[in-house]
Amino acid sequence: MDQDVPSVVVSGTKTVARQLNANLAAVARVVTEEITDSIPELAIDQRLLELLGASVEGNVENIVHMLAHDIPAESMAAPSAAKEYARRLAQQGGPIHALVRAYRLGQHRLLKESFTHIYRMFDDYEASLIYQRFVAQTFAYIDWISEEIISVYQDEREGWLTDQQVLRADLLRKVIAGHEIDFDAAGKTLGYTLRQWHLAAVIWTAENDDVELSRIERDVVRLARHLGCAAHPLVFAQDRSSAWAWFPFGPTEPDQIPFASAVEELTVPLRFALGS
């Protein structure tokens, strides 16, 4: 793999990597601080912050071992803490673009730490070649690990949202069926205040209309705005062409609800059955 690379570059890379490994915890701490200072949304709570630190340390350890032993990036295994951090971030709705940026920032900070060691131990020419090798190999690792972590995040996010939707749908059916529940706690789970006046609706499209549910939901939100609702409506898809919705009007029953005129603002052909 290194037949075209000067031996001093190969050996120098390994020497610097071992130096970094000897101070692994301190290097990982500096990289973590760089990330949290620049991207505060990645440390949503203390538990997530601690897991982020473990993720960074796992990745730094991976990189220095890769450099010290001349291992291809794609032969490495993603740190378990890094994968678990991505899962937790996905569950809490943390932004994936911030996670990807964290890996780029981490590489940048690690290279700065490496630069200090390289230029202290080698002359300018050798140092420049070793540093180029550090840049190329850490880039290869970050490129590979980013793909791995994005996949973990997306899989967890999709599964989590599905589970949450199932939980919310089950809770909603219990509310409708009149089960004894904690309405305040249920409202937090649903993201909708239950102790208020509502206009309920069953919504569906004409039999031959091919309308995406996302467009139905957008129109229901638009309709709520024209009705003067106190907040966003609660919308639940029932199948590919129908949904339930509740339009919120706050603690006081409205004198009138201008539904007919508001429907004229819709962008897709919908049918409604309304009730209290």
Side-chain angles (χ1 to χ4, degrees):
M1 176 170 133
D2 291 308
Q3 57 186 4
D4 297 326
V5 179
S7 59
V8 67
V9 175
V10 175
S11 62
T13 298
K14 294 179 179 180
T15 299
V16 175
R18 293 189 190 101
Q19 287 280 326
L20 292 170
N21 191 53
N23 299 287
L24 184 66
V27 173
R29 186 164 55 251
V30 169
V31 174
T32 302
E33 289 171 356
E34 175 90 5
I35 291 170
T36 54
D37 287 347
S38 302
I39 319 174
E41 59 262 48
L42 289 181
I44 297 172
D45 55 38
Q46 185 60 35
R47 289 183 300 175
L48 206 59
L49 177 60
E50 292 172 1
L51 191 54
L52 175 61
S55 170
V56 170
E57 186 166 347
N59 278 302
V60 171
E61 184 176 18
N62 257 6
I63 290 172
V64 296
H65 284 177
M66 180 188 77
L67 292 166
H69 302 288
D70 204 21
I71 303 171
E74 62 273 14
S75 297
M76 303 298 292
S80 57
K83 293 195 288 188
E84 185 58 26
Y85 177 80
R87 293 188 189 100
R88 299 274 185 90
L89 189 70
Q91 292 169 10
Q92 297 193 35
I96 192 170
H97 66 82
L99 182 58
V100 174
R101 184 176 173 229
Y103 277 90
R104 295 199 302 269
L105 278 176
Q107 181 198 16
H108 173 70
R109 184 63 202 196
L110 182 58
L111 286 173
K112 286 178 69 175
E113 295 294 313
S114 306
F115 181 90
T116 302
H117 290 281
I118 292 169
Y119 279 86
R120 188 179 67 240
M121 300 169 65
F122 300 92
D123 64 42
D124 288 351
Y125 176 70
E126 291 175 347
S128 66
L129 294 178
I130 294 169
Y131 188 69
Q132 288 175 39
R133 185 172 174 81
F134 261 74
V135 171
Q137 292 199 328
T138 56
F139 175 82
Y141 179 85
I142 295 300
D143 185 53
W144 166 78
I145 192 69
S146 296
E147 292 296 319
E148 292 283 311
I149 294 303
I150 288 171
S151 178
V152 170
Y153 178 99
Q154 290 176 332
D155 288 347
E156 183 65 23
R157 188 64 183 159
E158 289 172 9
W160 179 260
L161 290 175
T162 298
D163 290 345
Q164 290 297 101
Q165 187 72 0
V166 169
L167 176 64
R168 294 173 73 219
D170 180 63
L171 178 57
L172 183 58
R173 289 187 174 92
K174 288 179 179 177
V175 172
I176 294 171
H179 292 190
E180 290 189 11
I181 63 169
D182 183 331
F183 278 90
D184 294 325
K188 290 180 180 178
T189 300
L190 294 168
Y192 180 86
T193 302
L194 295 173
R195 298 184 186 279
Q196 62 179 325
W197 286 94
H198 323 267
L199 174 67
V202 175
I203 306 163
W204 69 101
T205 62
E207 186 175 344
N208 296 322
D209 287 337
D210 184 16
V211 179
E212 294 180 1
L213 279 170
S214 59
R215 289 187 63 195
I216 295 176
E217 292 180 7
R218 285 198 297 270
D219 259 4
V220 170
V221 171
R222 185 179 292 110
L223 181 57
R225 209 162 42 236
H226 285 287
L227 292 175
C229 289
H232 270 222
L234 176 61
V235 186
F236 267 92
Q238 297 304 302
D239 54 39
R240 289 186 176 277
S241 61
S242 66
W244 296 346
W246 286 263
F247 296 95
F249 289 95
T252 306
E253 182 178 12
D255 295 329
Q256 58 180 1
I257 301 174
F259 199 86
S261 60
V263 168
E264 295 176 1
E265 303 294 331
L266 301 185
T267 61
V268 296
L270 299 177
R271 298 176 179 180
F272 295 85
L274 304 175
S276 60

